[in-house]
């Protein structure tokens, strides 16, 4: 019997690195065996949460039947299979959530959340013209970054992530594959309109306005739309660099750095990232870790 080595990224692998599980199976084994083997070392809490979520395996946005064999799906050796239909969007949403939470944690006073503070700390990542154009000054209004605004954005992003990953009561929503903000916004509209059947049909009206390519007030993209779109751009840059370095390493002449647009440094030769998506998550995690160290050094000694 032919053996095949497969890799599976669990749902927490869209937030944290080093979560991809490698499993070697017989080509006649069914894919559900891969899920079972991948969850062997998960904590009890993770196992319980996954029990209330949609268990599935995806490849290139297509769900694979769990009762089908590995051979019937013609899977390449060492291929990375996903547990979310839109893995890139899930990872980028996690990155936005990390930024929003960091604002709450590091800039405690609402009055201190000025453009100067948000830009100088590097917490908020947006296109450069938002930092220098007077036309975008409204984006940085302090009241738009108060506790209530941050809380609503975090709830919106967290809900979107759960919908994409079909977690908990959101497993009823089978959102089509999304590859950018435009497709995500379009594919989420039926979810927002339909509401949450698991909670008595509660609507998600506010999400329509918090994540939108064109707000009623300004006609411009919403804050969350801008932040998420820029994360996707950063991933594209990191992926291009990671792929170049991977090709160089295979040819025996790799010596490049992946720096994610200057936010978090890491050599492609000293990282354990298994693909470009994990490299994006790694660099974003390092960015926050480096910022935390800088804040600790700058803090007054007591």
């Amino acid at each position: 019997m032919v053996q095949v080595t497969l890799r599976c990224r669990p749902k927490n692998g869209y937030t944290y690195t080093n979560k991809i599980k490698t499993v070697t199976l017989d080509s006649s084994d069914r894919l559900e065996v891969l899920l079972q083997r991948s969850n062997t070392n998960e904590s009890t809490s993770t196992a319980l949460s996954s029990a209330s979520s949609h268990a599935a395996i995806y490849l290139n946005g297509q769900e694979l039947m769990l009762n089908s064999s590995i051979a019937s799906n013609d899977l390449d050796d060492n291929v990375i299979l996903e547990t979310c239909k839109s893995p890139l969007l899930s990872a980028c949403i996690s990155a936005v959530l990390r930024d929003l939470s960091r604002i709450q944690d590091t800039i405690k006073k609402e009055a201190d959340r000025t453009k100067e503070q948000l830009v100088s700390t590097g917490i908020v990542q947006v296109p450069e013209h938002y930092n220098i154009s007077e036309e975008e000054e409204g984006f940085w209004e302090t009241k738009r970054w108060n506790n209530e605004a941050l809380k609503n954005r975090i709830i919106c992003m967290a809900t979107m992530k759960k919908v994409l990953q079909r977690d908990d009561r959101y497993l009823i929503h089978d959102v089509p594959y999304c590859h950018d903000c435009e497709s995500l916004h379009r594919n989420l509209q039926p979810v927002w309109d339909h509401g949450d059947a698991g909670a008595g049909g509660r609507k998600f009206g506010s999400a329509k306005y918090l994540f939108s390519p064109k707000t009623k007030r300004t006609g411009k993209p919403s804050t969350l739309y801008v932040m998420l779109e820029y994360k996707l751009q950063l991933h594209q840059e990191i992926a291009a660099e990671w792929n170049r370095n991977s090709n160089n390493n295979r040819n025996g002449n790799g010596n490049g750095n992946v720096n994610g647009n200057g936010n978090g440094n890491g050599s492609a030769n000293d990282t354990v990232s298994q693909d470009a998506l994990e490299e994006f998550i790694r660099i974003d995690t390092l960015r926050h870790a480096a910022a935390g160290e800088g804040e600790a050094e700058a803090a007054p000694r007591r």
Side-chain angles (χ1 to χ4, degrees):
M1 188 64 62
V2 178
Q3 288 197 317
V4 181
T5 298
L6 302 174
R7 292 177 290 174
C8 184
R9 191 186 338 257
K11 290 182 178 179
N12 61 358
Y14 303 113
T15 305
Y16 308 105
T17 58
N18 302 321
K19 296 298 181 181
I20 296 175
K21 304 295 179 64
T22 301
V23 181
T24 299
L25 301 168
D26 290 332
S27 59
S28 61
D29 285 333
R30 294 187 296 183
L31 285 174
E32 62 185 355
V33 178
L34 174 63
L35 268 187
Q36 293 167 359
R37 297 275 185 90
S38 298
N39 292 328
T40 299
N41 297 322
E42 294 296 330
S43 65
T44 302
S45 60
T46 302
L48 289 173
S49 64
S50 63
S52 60
S53 301
H54 181 67
I57 288 179
Y58 302 91
L59 180 64
N60 300 324
Q62 298 295 318
E63 183 171 355
L64 307 180
M65 299 299 294
L66 293 180
N67 62 357
S68 63
S69 69
I70 294 171
S72 66
N73 286 286
D74 194 26
L75 298 174
D76 294 332
D77 210 36
N78 280 312
V79 67
I80 296 180
L81 299 172
E82 308 289 351
T83 52
C84 175
K85 186 181 291 185
S86 303
L88 173 57
L89 267 300
S90 181
C92 287
I93 288 173
S94 294
V96 172
L97 282 169
R98 190 180 288 117
D99 291 355
L100 296 173
S101 296
R102 189 159 191 83
I103 295 172
Q104 287 184 320
D105 295 340
T106 60
I107 310 177
K108 301 289 187 180
K109 294 182 179 179
E110 294 180 342
D112 291 340
R113 294 170 189 163
T114 62
K115 175 183 177 181
E116 291 71 22
Q117 275 288 90
L118 294 172
V119 173
S120 64
T121 55
I123 298 175
V124 178
Q125 291 185 308
V126 292
E128 183 62 23
H129 74 269
Y130 279 87
N131 298 334
I132 61 177
S133 174
E134 293 184 1
E135 294 182 3
E136 303 299 347
E137 287 298 314
F139 182 89
W140 301 105
E141 290 179 2
T142 305
K143 66 181 181 181
R144 299 187 65 185
W145 301 93
N146 62 28
N147 292 335
E148 185 66 18
L150 289 177
K151 183 188 76 172
N152 290 335
R153 288 176 187 149
I154 288 172
I155 291 173
C156 178
M157 286 275 103
T159 301
M160 287 166 58
K161 183 176 172 67
K162 282 181 174 288
V163 170
L164 284 182
Q165 295 187 171
R166 302 187 70 179
D167 286 337
D168 305 325
R169 63 174 179 262
Y170 304 102
L171 60 84
I172 63 172
H173 304 292
D174 187 9
V175 176
Y177 170 71
C178 308
H179 64 279
D180 57 15
C181 281
E182 183 180 351
S183 59
L184 177 63
H185 178 261
R186 180 180 63 251
N187 292 336
L188 283 176
Q189 294 314 298
V191 178
W192 305 148
D193 293 336
H194 176 269
D196 184 0
R202 179 170 56 88
K203 302 295 183 181
F204 296 117
S206 62
K208 278 189 172 183
Y209 308 107
L210 289 172
F211 181 72
S212 172
K214 186 177 182 180
T215 60
K216 288 184 177 180
R217 187 172 69 90
T218 66
K220 297 179 179 181
S222 66
T223 301
L224 289 181
Y225 200 95
V226 171
M227 293 178 71
L228 185 58
E229 194 163 51
Y230 193 62
K231 293 293 185 184
L232 289 165
Q233 179 182 326
L234 289 176
H235 170 269
Q236 189 175 35
E237 295 171 4
I238 291 170
E241 186 72 9
W242 190 90
N243 289 329
R244 278 196 298 270
N245 288 330
S246 296
N247 290 333
N248 287 336
N249 288 339
R250 280 194 293 269
N251 295 330
N253 60 347
N255 190 30
N257 284 330
V258 179
N259 57 32
N261 201 33
N263 297 306
N265 294 319
S267 168
N269 295 323
D270 60 16
T271 175
V272 294
S273 299
Q274 298 190 46
D275 67 351
L277 184 57
E278 186 173 53
E279 181 68 357
F280 165 78
I281 298 169
R282 185 186 75 87
I283 287 174
D284 193 69
T285 302
L286 284 176
R287 179 174 69 88
H288 282 281
E293 291 173 2
E295 290 156 8
E297 291 175 2
R301 303 298 179 186
R302 297 185 183 278

